[in-house]
Coordinates of all heavy atoms in Angstrom, one line a residue:
V11 N 0.9 -1.2 0.0 CA 0.0 0.0 0.0 C 0.9 1.2 0.0 O 1.9 1.3 0.7 CB -0.9 0.0 1.3 CG1 -1.7 1.3 1.3 CG2 -1.8 -1.2 1.3
T12 N 0.5 2.2 -0.8 CA 1.2 3.5 -0.7 C 0.3 4.5 -0.1 O -0.8 4.8 -0.5 CB 1.5 4.0 -2.1 OG1 2.4 3.0 -2.8 CG2 2.3 5.3 -2.1
F13 N 0.7 5.0 1.1 CA 0.0 6.1 1.8 C 0.4 7.4 1.2 O 1.6 7.7 1.1 CB 0.3 6.0 3.3 CG -0.2 4.8 3.9 CD1 0.6 3.7 4.0 CD2 -1.5 4.7 4.5 CE1 0.2 2.5 4.6 CE2 -1.9 3.6 5.1 CZ -1.1 2.5 5.2
K14 N -0.5 8.2 0.9 CA -0.2 9.6 0.5 C -0.7 10.5 1.6 O -1.9 10.5 1.8 CB -0.9 10.0 -0.9 CG -0.4 9.2 -2.0 CD -1.0 9.6 -3.3 CE -0.5 8.8 -4.5 NZ -1.2 9.1 -5.8
V15 N 0.2 11.2 2.2 CA -0.2 12.0 3.3 C 0.1 13.5 3.0 O 1.2 13.8 2.5 CB 0.4 11.6 4.7 CG1 -0.2 10.3 5.1 CG2 1.9 11.4 4.5
K16 N -0.8 14.4 3.4 CA -0.6 15.8 3.2 C -0.7 16.5 4.5 O -1.6 16.2 5.3 CB -1.7 16.4 2.2 CG -1.4 17.8 2.0 CD -2.4 18.4 0.9 CE -2.0 19.9 0.8 NZ -3.0 20.6 -0.1
N17 N 0.2 17.4 4.7 CA 0.2 18.2 6.0 C -0.6 19.4 5.7 O -0.2 20.4 5.1 CB 1.6 18.5 6.4 CG 1.7 19.3 7.7 OD1 0.6 19.6 8.3 ND2 2.9 19.6 8.1
G18 N -1.8 19.5 6.3 CA -2.7 20.6 6.1 C -2.6 21.6 7.3 O -3.4 22.5 7.4
G19 N -1.7 21.3 8.2 CA -1.5 22.2 9.4 C -0.5 23.3 9.2 O 0.0 23.6 8.1
N20 N -0.1 23.8 10.3 CA 0.8 24.9 10.3 C 2.2 24.6 10.9 O 3.1 25.4 11.0 CB 0.3 26.1 11.2 CG -1.0 26.6 10.6 OD1 -1.1 26.8 9.4 ND2 -2.0 26.8 11.4
L21 N 2.4 23.3 11.3 CA 3.6 22.8 11.8 C 4.1 21.6 11.0 O 3.3 21.0 10.4 CB 3.4 22.4 13.3 CG 3.0 23.4 14.3 CD1 2.6 22.8 15.6 CD2 4.2 24.4 14.6
P22 N 5.4 21.3 11.1 CA 5.9 20.1 10.4 C 5.3 18.9 11.2 O 5.2 18.9 12.4 CB 7.4 20.2 10.6 CG 7.7 21.6 10.9 CD 6.5 22.1 11.6
H23 N 5.0 17.9 10.4 CA 4.6 16.6 10.9 C 5.2 15.5 10.1 O 5.7 15.7 9.0 CB 3.1 16.4 10.9 CG 2.3 17.5 11.7 ND1 2.3 17.5 13.0 CD2 1.6 18.5 11.3 CE1 1.6 18.5 13.4 NE2 1.1 19.2 12.4
D24 N 5.1 14.2 10.6 CA 5.4 13.1 9.7 C 4.4 12.0 10.0 O 3.4 12.2 10.8 CB 6.8 12.6 9.9 CG 7.2 12.2 11.3 OD1 6.2 12.0 12.2 OD2 8.3 12.0 11.6
F25 N 4.5 10.9 9.3 CA 3.6 9.8 9.4 C 4.3 8.5 9.5 O 5.1 8.2 8.6 CB 2.7 9.8 8.2 CG 1.7 8.7 8.1 CD1 0.5 8.8 8.9 CD2 1.8 7.7 7.2 CE1 -0.5 7.8 8.8 CE2 0.9 6.6 7.2 CZ -0.3 6.7 7.9
K26 N 4.1 7.8 10.6 CA 4.9 6.6 10.9 C 3.9 5.4 11.1 O 3.0 5.5 11.9 CB 5.7 6.7 12.1 CG 6.7 5.6 12.4 CD 7.6 6.0 13.5 CE 8.9 5.1 13.5 NZ 9.8 5.5 14.6
I27 N 4.2 4.3 10.4 CA 3.5 3.1 10.7 C 4.3 2.2 11.6 O 5.5 2.0 11.3 CB 3.3 2.3 9.4 CG1 2.6 3.1 8.3 CG2 2.5 1.0 9.7 CD1 1.1 3.1 8.3
C28 N 3.8 1.8 12.7 CA 4.5 1.1 13.7 C 4.6 -0.4 13.4 O 3.7 -1.0 12.8 CB 3.8 1.2 15.1 SG 3.7 2.9 15.7
A29 N 5.7 -1.0 13.7 CA 6.0 -2.4 13.4 C 5.1 -3.3 14.3 O 4.8 -4.4 13.9 CB 7.4 -2.8 13.5
S30 N 4.8 -2.8 15.5 CA 3.9 -3.6 16.3 C 2.8 -2.8 16.8 O 2.9 -1.5 16.9 CB 4.7 -4.2 17.5 OG 5.2 -3.2 18.3
N31 N 1.7 -3.4 17.2 CA 0.5 -2.7 17.6 C 0.3 -2.7 19.1 O 0.3 -3.8 19.7 CB -0.7 -3.3 16.9 CG -2.0 -2.7 17.4 OD1 -2.1 -1.5 17.7 ND2 -3.1 -3.5 17.4
K32 N 0.2 -1.5 19.7 CA -0.1 -1.5 21.1 C -1.4 -0.9 21.4 O -1.7 -0.3 22.4 CB 1.0 -0.6 21.8 CG 2.4 -1.2 21.8 CD 3.4 -0.4 22.6 CE 4.7 -1.2 22.8 NZ 5.5 -1.2 21.6
G33 N -2.3 -1.1 20.4 CA -3.7 -0.7 20.5 C -3.9 0.8 20.5 O -5.0 1.3 21.0
G34 N -3.0 1.5 19.9 CA -3.2 3.0 19.7 C -2.7 3.8 20.9 O -3.0 5.0 21.0
T35 N -2.0 3.1 21.8 CA -1.5 3.8 23.0 C -0.1 4.3 22.9 O 0.3 5.1 23.7 CB -1.5 2.8 24.2 OG1 -0.7 1.7 24.0 CG2 -2.9 2.3 24.5
A36 N 0.7 3.8 21.9 CA 2.1 4.2 21.8 C 2.2 5.7 21.4 O 1.5 6.2 20.6 CB 2.8 3.3 20.8
N37 N 3.2 6.3 22.0 CA 3.6 7.6 21.6 C 4.9 7.6 20.8 O 5.2 8.7 20.2 CB 3.7 8.6 22.8 CG 2.4 8.8 23.4 OD1 1.3 8.9 22.7 ND2 2.3 8.9 24.7
T38 N 5.6 6.5 20.9 CA 6.8 6.3 20.0 C 6.7 4.8 19.6 O 6.1 4.0 20.3 CB 8.1 6.6 20.7 OG1 8.2 5.7 21.8 CG2 8.2 8.0 21.2
C39 N 7.4 4.5 18.5 CA 7.5 3.1 18.1 C 8.5 3.0 17.1 O 9.0 3.9 16.5 CB 6.1 2.7 17.5 SG 5.7 3.4 16.0
K40 N 8.9 1.7 16.9 CA 9.8 1.3 15.8 C 8.9 1.1 14.6 O 7.8 0.6 14.7 CB 10.6 0.1 16.1 CG 11.6 0.3 17.1 CD 12.5 -1.0 17.3 CE 13.6 -0.7 18.3 NZ 14.4 -1.9 18.6
G41 N 9.3 1.5 13.4 CA 8.5 1.4 12.3 C 9.1 2.1 11.1 O 10.3 2.3 11.0
T42 N 8.2 2.4 10.2 CA 8.6 3.0 8.9 C 7.9 4.4 8.8 O 6.7 4.6 9.1 CB 8.1 2.2 7.7 OG1 8.5 0.8 7.9 CG2 8.6 2.7 6.4
V43 N 8.7 5.4 8.5 CA 8.3 6.8 8.7 C 8.6 7.6 7.4 O 9.5 7.3 6.7 CB 8.9 7.4 9.9 CG1 10.4 7.6 9.7 CG2 8.3 8.8 10.2
T44 N 7.7 8.6 7.1 CA 8.0 9.5 6.0 C 9.0 10.5 6.4 O 9.4 10.5 7.6 CB 6.7 10.4 5.7 OG1 6.4 11.1 6.8 CG2 5.5 9.5 5.3
K45 N 9.5 11.3 5.5 CA 10.3 12.4 5.9 C 9.5 13.4 6.7 O 8.2 13.3 6.7 CB 10.9 13.1 4.6 CG 9.8 13.7 3.7 CD 10.4 14.3 2.5 CE 9.4 14.7 1.5 NZ 8.6 15.9 1.7
M46 N 10.1 14.3 7.3 CA 9.3 15.4 8.0 C 8.6 16.2 6.9 O 9.3 16.6 5.9 CB 10.3 16.3 8.8 CG 9.6 17.2 9.8 SD 8.5 16.3 11.0 CE 9.7 15.3 11.9
I47 N 7.3 16.4 7.0 CA 6.5 17.1 6.0 C 6.2 18.5 6.5 O 5.6 18.7 7.5 CB 5.2 16.3 5.8 CG1 5.5 14.8 5.5 CG2 4.5 16.9 4.6 CD1 4.3 13.9 5.6
S48 N 6.7 19.5 5.7 CA 6.4 20.9 6.0 C 4.9 21.2 5.8 O 4.3 20.5 5.0 CB 7.3 21.8 5.1 OG 8.6 21.5 5.3
P49 N 4.4 22.2 6.4 CA 3.0 22.6 6.2 C 2.7 22.8 4.7 O 3.5 23.4 3.9 CB 2.9 24.0 6.9 CG 4.0 23.9 8.0 CD 5.1 23.1 7.4
G50 N 1.6 22.2 4.2 CA 1.2 22.3 2.8 C 1.9 21.3 1.9 O 1.5 21.2 0.8
Q51 N 2.9 20.6 2.4 CA 3.6 19.6 1.6 C 3.0 18.2 1.8 O 2.2 17.9 2.7 CB 5.1 19.6 2.0 CG 5.8 20.9 1.7 CD 5.7 21.3 0.3 OE1 6.2 20.6 -0.6 NE2 5.1 22.5 0.0
S52 N 3.4 17.3 0.9 CA 2.9 15.9 0.9 C 4.1 15.0 0.9 O 5.2 15.3 0.5 CB 2.0 15.6 -0.3 OG 0.9 16.5 -0.3
A53 N 3.8 13.7 1.3 CA 4.8 12.7 1.2 C 4.1 11.4 1.0 O 2.9 11.2 1.2 CB 5.6 12.6 2.5
T54 N 4.8 10.4 0.5 CA 4.2 9.1 0.4 C 5.0 8.1 1.2 O 6.2 8.3 1.5 CB 4.2 8.6 -1.1 OG1 5.6 8.6 -1.6 CG2 3.4 9.5 -2.0
L55 N 4.4 7.0 1.6 CA 5.0 6.0 2.4 C 4.5 4.7 1.9 O 3.3 4.4 1.9 CB 4.6 6.2 3.9 CG 5.3 5.2 4.8 CD1 6.8 5.4 4.9 CD2 4.6 5.3 6.2
K56 N 5.4 3.9 1.4 CA 5.1 2.5 0.9 C 5.2 1.6 2.1 O 6.3 1.5 2.8 CB 6.0 2.1 -0.2 CG 5.5 2.6 -1.6 CD 6.3 2.0 -2.7 CE 5.9 2.6 -4.0 NZ 6.7 2.0 -5.1
Y57 N 4.2 0.8 2.3 CA 4.3 -0.2 3.4 C 3.5 -1.4 3.0 O 2.4 -1.4 2.5 CB 3.7 0.4 4.7 CG 4.0 -0.3 6.0 CD1 5.1 0.0 6.7 CD2 3.2 -1.3 6.4 CE1 5.4 -0.6 7.9 CE2 3.4 -2.0 7.6 CZ 4.6 -1.7 8.3 OH 4.9 -2.3 9.5
T58 N 4.2 -2.6 3.2 CA 3.5 -3.8 2.9 C 2.8 -4.3 4.1 O 3.3 -4.6 5.2 CB 4.6 -4.9 2.5 OG1 5.3 -4.4 1.4 CG2 3.9 -6.2 2.1
L59 N 1.4 -4.4 4.0 CA 0.6 -4.9 5.1 C 0.4 -6.4 4.9 O -0.4 -6.8 4.1 CB -0.8 -4.1 5.0 CG -0.7 -2.6 5.2 CD1 -1.9 -1.9 4.7 CD2 -0.4 -2.2 6.6
K60 N 1.3 -7.1 5.6 CA 1.4 -8.5 5.3 C 0.2 -9.4 5.7 O -0.1 -10.4 5.1 CB 2.7 -9.1 6.0 CG 4.0 -8.6 5.4 CD 5.1 -9.4 5.9 CE 6.5 -8.9 5.3 NZ 7.1 -7.9 6.2
K61 N -0.5 -8.9 6.7 CA -1.7 -9.7 7.1 C -2.8 -8.8 7.7 O -2.5 -7.7 8.0 CB -1.3 -10.8 8.1 CG -0.5 -10.2 9.3 CD 0.0 -11.3 10.2 CE 0.8 -10.8 11.4 NZ 1.3 -11.8 12.3
A62 N -4.0 -9.4 7.7 CA -5.1 -8.6 8.3 C -4.8 -8.4 9.8 O -4.1 -9.1 10.4 CB -6.4 -9.5 8.2
G63 N -5.3 -7.3 10.2 CA -5.1 -6.9 11.6 C -5.1 -5.4 11.8 O -5.5 -4.7 10.9
K64 N -4.6 -5.0 12.9 CA -4.5 -3.6 13.3 C -3.1 -3.1 13.2 O -2.2 -3.8 13.7 CB -5.2 -3.3 14.6 CG -6.7 -3.6 14.6 CD -7.3 -3.4 16.0 CE -8.8 -3.6 15.9 NZ -9.5 -3.6 17.2
Y65 N -2.9 -2.0 12.6 CA -1.6 -1.3 12.5 C -1.7 0.1 13.1 O -2.6 0.8 12.8 CB -1.2 -1.2 11.0 CG -1.0 -2.6 10.4 CD1 -2.0 -3.4 9.9 CD2 0.3 -3.1 10.2 CE1 -1.8 -4.6 9.3 CE2 0.6 -4.3 9.7 CZ -0.5 -5.1 9.2 OH -0.3 -6.3 8.7
E66 N -0.8 0.3 13.9 CA -0.8 1.6 14.6 C 0.0 2.6 13.9 O 1.0 2.3 13.2 CB -0.1 1.4 16.0 CG -0.4 2.4 17.0 CD -0.2 1.8 18.4 OE1 0.2 0.6 18.6 OE2 -0.4 2.5 19.4
Y67 N -0.4 3.9 13.9 CA 0.4 4.9 13.2 C 0.4 6.2 14.2 O -0.4 6.3 15.1 CB -0.2 5.3 11.9 CG -1.7 5.8 12.0 CD1 -1.9 7.2 12.2 CD2 -2.7 5.0 11.9 CE1 -3.2 7.7 12.3 CE2 -4.0 5.5 12.0 CZ -4.3 6.8 12.2 OH -5.6 7.3 12.3
L68 N 1.4 7.0 13.9 CA 1.6 8.2 14.8 C 2.5 9.2 14.1 O 3.1 8.9 13.1 CB 2.1 7.8 16.2 CG 3.4 6.9 16.3 CD1 4.7 7.7 16.0 CD2 3.5 6.3 17.7
C69 N 2.5 10.4 14.7 CA 3.4 11.4 14.3 C 4.6 11.4 15.3 O 4.4 11.3 16.5 CB 2.7 12.8 14.3 SG 3.8 14.2 14.0
T70 N 5.8 11.5 14.7 CA 7.0 11.3 15.6 C 7.5 12.6 16.2 O 8.4 12.6 17.0 CB 8.2 10.6 14.9 OG1 8.7 11.6 14.0 CG2 7.8 9.4 14.2
V71 N 6.9 13.7 15.9 CA 7.3 15.0 16.4 C 7.0 14.9 17.9 O 5.9 14.6 18.3 CB 6.6 16.2 15.8 CG1 7.0 17.5 16.5 CG2 6.9 16.3 14.3
P72 N 8.0 15.3 18.8 CA 7.8 15.1 20.2 C 6.6 15.8 20.7 O 6.3 17.0 20.4 CB 9.1 15.8 20.8 CG 10.1 15.6 19.8 CD 9.4 15.7 18.4
G73 N 5.8 15.1 21.5 CA 4.5 15.6 22.0 C 3.3 15.5 21.2 O 2.2 15.5 21.7
H74 N 3.5 15.2 19.9 CA 2.4 15.2 19.0 C 1.5 13.9 19.2 O 0.3 14.0 19.3 CB 2.8 15.3 17.5 CG 3.2 16.7 17.1 ND1 3.2 17.1 15.8 CD2 3.7 17.7 17.9 CE1 3.6 18.4 15.8 NE2 3.9 18.7 17.0
A75 N 2.1 12.8 19.2 CA 1.4 11.5 19.5 C 0.7 11.6 20.8 O -0.5 11.2 20.9 CB 2.3 10.3 19.3
A76 N 1.4 12.1 21.8 CA 0.8 12.2 23.2 C -0.4 13.1 23.1 O -1.4 13.0 23.9 CB 1.8 12.7 24.2
A77 N -0.4 14.1 22.2 CA -1.6 15.0 22.1 C -2.7 14.5 21.3 O -3.7 15.1 21.0 CB -1.1 16.4 21.6
G78 N -2.5 13.2 20.8 CA -3.6 12.6 20.0 C -3.3 12.4 18.5 O -4.2 11.9 17.8
M79 N -2.1 12.7 18.1 CA -1.8 12.6 16.7 C -1.3 11.1 16.4 O -0.1 10.9 16.2 CB -0.7 13.6 16.3 CG -0.6 13.8 14.8 SD 0.5 15.2 14.5 CE -0.4 16.6 15.1
K80 N -2.3 10.2 16.5 CA -2.0 8.8 16.4 C -3.3 8.1 16.1 O -4.4 8.7 16.3 CB -1.3 8.3 17.6 CG -2.1 8.5 18.9 CD -1.4 8.1 20.1 CE -2.1 8.4 21.4 NZ -1.4 8.1 22.6
G81 N -3.2 6.8 15.8 CA -4.4 6.1 15.6 C -4.1 4.6 15.2 O -2.9 4.2 15.2
V82 N -5.1 3.9 14.9 CA -5.0 2.5 14.5 C -5.8 2.3 13.2 O -6.9 2.8 13.1 CB -5.5 1.6 15.6 CG1 -5.5 0.1 15.1 CG2 -4.7 1.7 16.9
L83 N -5.1 1.7 12.2 CA -5.9 1.4 11.0 C -6.1 -0.1 11.0 O -5.2 -0.9 11.4 CB -5.2 1.9 9.8 CG -3.8 1.5 9.4 CD1 -3.8 0.3 8.4 CD2 -3.0 2.6 8.7
K84 N -7.2 -0.5 10.4 CA -7.6 -1.9 10.4 C -7.5 -2.5 9.0 O -8.1 -1.9 8.1 CB -9.0 -2.1 11.0 CG -9.4 -3.5 11.3 CD -10.8 -3.4 12.0 CE -11.3 -4.9 12.2 NZ -12.6 -4.8 12.8
V85 N -6.8 -3.6 8.9 CA -6.7 -4.2 7.6 C -7.6 -5.5 7.6 O -7.4 -6.3 8.5 CB -5.3 -4.6 7.3 CG1 -5.2 -5.4 6.0 CG2 -4.4 -3.3 7.2
T86 N -8.5 -5.6 6.7 CA -9.4 -6.8 6.7 C -9.1 -7.7 5.5 O -8.5 -7.2 4.5 CB -10.9 -6.4 6.7 OG1 -11.1 -5.5 5.6 CG2 -11.2 -5.6 8.0
Ligands
CU17 CU1 2.6 16.0 14.3

C-alpha cells in the first residue's frame, strides 16, 4: 500500500506506521516513517501490510502523538 499524506496544518509533521500494535496507546514506536513534512507539503510512504489486523500509526514529532496525533488502522 502507498499512503499519500498531506500536511494541512501549520507545523511540520510526519507519518509513521509502527511495526507492532499497542492498541493505539504508543507515543513512540519502531516502524517506517515518512520524511518530515512541511506545512502544505505531501509525502508518500510505501508499506507492505502482510496480514489482516490492526496497524498503529503516529506522528513522531515530540509531544504530537501524546496530544492525540496517532491512531490505528484496520486491515481486513
Ligand atoms: Cu505531528
Side-chain angles (χ1 to χ4, degrees):
V11 176
T12 301
F13 294 89
K14 292 183 182 175
V15 289
K16 182 176 182 187
N17 181 359
N20 298 316
L21 296 169
H23 300 288
D24 60 12
F25 178 75
K26 188 173 198 177
I27 306 270
C28 300
S30 63
N31 173 33
K32 293 188 170 71
T35 61
N37 290 325
T38 61
C39 68
K40 290 186 177 176
T42 308
V43 66
T44 62
K45 64 182 170 75
M46 194 58 63
I47 309 165
S48 298
Q51 298 298 302
S52 300
T54 59
L55 182 68
K56 279 190 182 175
Y57 195 89
T58 302
L59 301 161
K60 292 197 180 87
K61 53 186 179 182
K64 291 177 178 173
Y65 293 81
E66 199 156 4
Y67 61 89
L68 52 78
C69 175
T70 72
V71 177
H74 285 203
M79 199 173 289
K80 58 187 172 180
V82 176
L83 62 92
K84 190 175 178 184
V85 176
T86 56

